[in-house]
Amino acid sequence: LVQKEVAGRIVARNKKGSILSVSVKVYGTPRYIETVKAGSFAPMPSVDSGVIVIENISKKFFTNFPEKEFFDIVRAGFKSKRKKLSSNLSAIFAKNKVQEAFQKLNLDDNLRAEDVGIETWGKLVCSLSS
């Protein structure tokens, strides 16, 4: 049970992502169950809540790279929200290595972390780790 807006972001497929939604999706498949109105609580909060379930929980996403390394790179990618992903990643990798990874994966240099899907994050981590 989380704030309805947060639940929507976690389960969204085509909307802007967050470090929370990436973190949930690498371990399983989130699904929105139902809305719980603010009036269901005492004291009443100012927002509705949403119930989500996370199905198919596993660590199989991490077969090609370590979990810690993945999350270190994702955290770096989301470090400065207004910056481009390549700039954020250049804080922990050489700029030319980041550029090579972007070219190899055919990623736009203006890409922001919130626009990167789970599979692309995995490929990016593999590319930067090698």
Side-chain angles (χ1 to χ4, degrees):
L1 180 70
V2 294
Q3 184 177 338
K4 183 179 177 183
E5 181 180 311
V6 173
R9 286 188 191 153
I10 290 172
V11 301
R13 300 241 180 251
N14 299 325
K15 292 190 178 182
K16 295 194 182 276
S18 68
I19 198 164
L20 174 61
S21 66
V22 169
S23 299
V24 170
K25 290 174 184 172
V26 295
Y27 289 108
T29 308
R31 186 169 51 92
Y32 194 90
I33 301 296
E34 70 179 288
T35 300
V36 179
K37 295 292 184 188
S40 301
F41 300 96
M44 187 171 78
S46 55
V47 295
D48 291 338
S49 297
V51 177
I52 61 171
V53 64
I54 302 167
E55 301 170 316
N56 306 317
I57 296 174
S58 76
K59 289 189 175 190
K60 67 181 177 182
F61 184 80
F62 300 103
T63 56
N64 297 323
F65 44 81
E67 263 177 284
K68 183 184 179 329
E69 188 172 7
F70 175 81
F71 284 110
D72 287 346
I73 292 172
V74 169
R75 270 193 294 279
F78 278 97
K79 186 86 172 171
S80 296
K81 195 173 185 176
R82 304 253 184 254
K83 280 187 168 181
K84 294 186 271 185
L85 177 59
S86 59
S87 297
N88 285 339
L89 293 176
S90 293
I92 62 170
F93 293 102
K95 189 165 183 79
N96 65 332
K97 186 169 186 160
V98 174
Q99 288 174 335
E100 287 173 14
F102 270 57
Q103 288 174 350
K104 179 180 173 185
L105 299 173
N106 201 22
L107 299 176
D108 183 355
D109 191 45
N110 293 317
L111 189 66
R112 299 194 187 282
E114 62 195 19
D115 299 320
V116 178
I118 299 303
E119 295 306 318
T120 303
W121 274 114
K123 291 175 185 174
L124 194 53
V125 170
C126 284
S127 184
L128 290 169
S129 299
S130 57

